[in-house]
Amino acid sequence: MSSPPSPSPTRWFKALRRTRIEDVCLKSGATACLEVLKRARVAFRARRTAQDSFRLAQVEALVRMLMDHECDFVDALGRDVHKPRFEMVMSELMTVKNEALHTISNLKKWMEPQRIERNWATAFDECLVVNEPLGVVLIIGNWTSPLQLCLVPLVGAIAAGNCVIISPPETCTHTAVLLHRLIPAYLDNECFHSVVAAAHEISEIIDLKFDHVFFSGDKENGIKVAQAAARTLARVTLVLSGKNPCYVDSQCDINTTARRIAWARFHNAGQSAVAPDYILCHVDAKENLLQALRCALQQFYGTDPRESRSFGRIVNEENFNKAKDQLCRSGKVFIGGQVNEMERYIGE
């Protein structure tokens, strides 16, 4: 699996009722996870997920869920991560839909045995590689893209014939509640589950023993997840945030470069694992690049980004304070830097 910003399912495989937030919290943590894990194991051992018809039906149901409740997801994501609507639809809903539709088109081909070249030791044999599901997969989402980082791995896990337990990020309460309501209504109730877990409960949940753990988040928590998974020899896929520098040469098209950097940096108000962290710039291009960045940002967000519907906000107070402190400690501010604590707004 790879991560810009989440793995493709190709690589993974190669009547609603209202639920209050308090209700979801009562069904959270390791105890609730153990209950659904037992059910998922029984379903997997019964080969409930083995047939391609079952897998296709589940992925198609996931697409229907997104289409039927697009407005609900947009509202929940808006409350949780404060993304502009266009960003939410493109980076969350459309990304998941595209992965699901790609899976529907290719699933039968992925499930076919793959013939391999024979050598002297297997000259009289028929050599095939047969893809088999692993078992029960745990998907731990992340607040930067709470829907995408839960559902894109889910599409891949379904395609590969696994049962799945999703743990949406606890900081994205509205999205977690919505997933908790909708997944049982659209997907198989024995094979696919959602459990809300606090960050400190993740290691305890992983100790319950899964066949694969998918985690997206920061390096520190990634280390804890890997250590917990190692205790049960569970396979792990980690999608971790990191440093993403951009190099700008003196020979490049400065205006195009500035627009691309500005878009990548300010998508979701910079709260993305693949957002550029810093720029390495040829000295001859520095001044032109700064001016081009200023122009690009004004084109994107206007002269007052705070009033722009396309400019996001920091997801929570903790992250806002970190960004504000870093702004105070860093060097010279060339563009923006305005701060509004009530809105968790930091100007570009």
Side-chain angles (χ1 to χ4, degrees):
M1 295 190 240
S2 61
S3 64
S6 59
S8 164
T10 308
R11 298 189 181 184
W12 265 85
F13 184 84
K14 311 231 139 133
L16 294 177
R17 68 178 181 86
R18 286 189 173 273
T19 304
R20 296 181 303 156
I21 293 174
E22 292 82 1
D23 293 334
V24 176
C25 292
L26 290 174
K27 302 173 184 177
S28 65
T31 302
C33 191
L34 179 59
E35 294 175 5
V36 296
L37 177 60
K38 290 178 180 178
R39 291 168 55 189
R41 286 238 176 265
V42 170
F44 180 76
R45 288 167 182 161
R47 296 186 60 79
R48 195 181 184 101
T49 62
Q51 299 300 317
D52 61 343
S53 57
F54 175 86
R55 303 183 197 183
L56 283 170
Q58 297 304 302
V59 178
E60 289 169 353
L62 188 63
V63 174
R64 287 199 307 275
M65 180 183 81
L66 294 174
M67 295 178 67
D68 293 347
H69 298 275
E70 179 174 317
C71 292
D72 295 328
F73 279 115
V74 168
D75 178 67
L77 290 165
R79 292 169 180 263
D80 288 332
V81 296
H82 313 286
K83 286 185 181 182
R85 180 183 175 84
F86 177 79
E87 285 189 7
M88 287 187 284
V89 172
M90 292 300 296
S91 67
E92 300 273 7
L93 294 167
M94 289 303 299
T95 299
V96 179
K97 285 182 188 177
N98 288 340
E99 296 287 9
L101 294 173
H102 179 65
T103 295
I104 292 169
S105 299
N106 292 277
L107 179 60
K108 290 187 177 182
K109 181 177 68 176
W110 295 344
M111 292 181 67
E112 292 175 356
Q114 301 170 9
R115 296 184 180 277
I116 61 174
E117 185 178 350
R118 288 178 289 187
N119 56 32
W120 65 269
T122 58
F124 301 104
D125 297 322
E126 185 177 7
C127 300
L128 301 172
V129 173
V130 179
N131 295 301
E132 294 286 348
L134 288 173
V136 182
V137 175
L138 174 65
I139 298 172
I140 305 169
N142 184 257
W143 59 265
T144 56
S145 294
L147 194 65
Q148 180 199 135
L149 293 174
C150 282
L151 298 190
V152 168
L154 173 62
V155 171
I158 292 173
N162 298 288
C163 294
V164 184
I165 297 175
I166 292 176
S167 178
E170 61 167 338
T171 54
C172 298
T173 309
H174 299 88
T175 305
V177 169
L178 189 58
L179 286 171
H180 199 77
R181 286 172 46 202
L182 295 179
I183 285 177
Y186 282 85
L187 302 184
D188 186 276
N189 285 191
E190 299 302 317
C191 298
F192 309 108
H193 307 273
S194 173
V195 173
V196 181
H200 67 272
E201 297 177 297
I202 294 298
S203 293
E204 186 179 355
I205 288 175
I206 295 174
D207 283 337
L208 298 176
K209 186 168 175 50
F210 290 84
D211 298 288
H212 196 107
V213 178
F214 180 98
F215 171 82
S216 53
D218 57 58
K219 177 182 175 182
E220 290 72 20
N221 285 314
I223 292 173
K224 294 177 183 178
V225 167
Q227 291 173 338
R231 292 195 289 268
T232 61
L233 301 181
R235 299 169 177 85
V236 180
T237 297
L238 302 176
V239 179
L240 307 179
S241 58
K243 297 300 178 185
N244 299 289
C246 292
Y247 173 67
V248 180
D249 190 78
S250 59
Q251 303 299 315
C252 71
D253 184 325
I254 292 295
N255 291 326
T256 300
T257 300
R259 289 173 63 86
R260 290 174 177 173
I261 292 174
W263 178 86
R265 178 64 240 184
F266 291 95
H267 171 77
N268 195 22
Q271 301 169 109
S272 168
V274 294
D277 283 87
Y278 58 92
I279 299 173
L280 300 172
C281 178
H282 193 282
V283 65
D284 293 339
K286 177 182 175 182
E287 293 302 322
N288 290 335
L289 177 62
L290 288 173
Q291 295 302 326
L293 284 170
R294 184 196 295 275
C295 292
L297 292 170
Q298 288 183 354
Q299 289 175 359
F300 290 169
Y301 307 113
T303 55
D304 186 0
R306 183 181 171 188
E307 301 297 326
S308 172
R309 293 185 178 181
S310 300
F311 195 87
R313 299 294 188 267
I314 306 301
V315 66
N316 56 37
E317 187 174 352
E318 179 184 358
N319 287 7
F320 173 81
N321 289 331
K322 286 181 180 178
K324 185 177 69 171
D325 292 343
Q326 187 176 23
L327 185 66
C328 295
R329 293 195 308 268
S330 297
K332 180 180 177 182
V333 176
F334 180 76
I335 306 171
Q338 302 86 1
V339 174
N340 185 304
E341 297 188 13
M342 293 293 295
E343 297 182 17
R344 295 199 293 270
Y345 165 80
I346 296 180
E348 41 81 2

